[in-house]
Amino acid sequence: MIYTFAQLPPRDLSSQDFPDNTIALNITRSVNGQPSDALLSQADIMAFTQRAWRLSPKHANDAKLILATYVVPGRGRLILGAFRFGRQYEHPGGDCFVRSPYPKDEDRCIFLAEPAEAEIWRKYVGHYLPLTKKGEANPVRYYDTDEEN
């Protein structure tokens, strides 16, 4: 399944643009580790997104959408991919994340992702997340519909 990027020019999203609780994961390091002439596929972006992350269980268990982002210097976080949790049927009612089985990453969570619907992909991919405040360098951002960030 291949989706295209949203129509240009990209726009800046606000926290009100997320109808579901959303997690945005910064995959810039993984992207920058690829050869400079490499074209990333949706599968590459999804693989970078599924790696082990330190997450807040309070926020992570309620999340419905995962966004993969890339930091564009001087501009902010560009959304490269939109994903849903894969195999949710195995974890009804939450707990879509599991503890990493690797000893060096035991405090991290992993999950299986699947591409979000084409409508969601078009709505978010190719646009920018709300800018962060100075000093907020956490690679994980939460956008909760129930509370103010």
Side-chain angles (χ1 to χ4, degrees), residues 69-88:
T69 65
Y70 179 84
V71 175
V72 176
R75 185 65 175 87
R77 290 187 183 186
L78 177 67
I79 300 170
L80 298 181
F83 303 97
R84 300 274 187 202
F85 294 101
R87 298 189 180 177
Q88 276 189 303

Side-chain angles (χ1 to χ4, degrees), residues 26 77 130-141 143 149:
N26 180 354
R77 290 187 183 186
L131 290 173
T132 57
K133 297 178 182 117
K134 188 173 176 135
E136 291 182 335
N138 191 335
V140 179
R141 306 283 318 150
Y143 298 94
N149 287 329

Side-chain angles (χ1 to χ4, degrees), residues 21 23 25 49-53 55-66 83-100 108-114:
N21 290 345
I23 299 174
L25 302 173
T49 306
Q50 293 179 129
R51 292 190 176 158
W53 298 90
L55 300 173
S56 159
K58 173 184 177 246
H59 295 291
N61 284 337
D62 291 334
K64 304 286 185 251
L65 185 65
I66 307 153
F83 303 97
R84 300 274 187 202
F85 294 101
R87 298 189 180 177
Q88 276 189 303
Y89 57 86
E90 293 179 11
H91 302 282
D95 278 348
C96 293
F97 291 92
V98 295
R99 289 278 177 206
S100 173
R108 294 176 180 256
C109 297
I110 58 174
F111 62 94
L112 293 176
E114 59 188 31

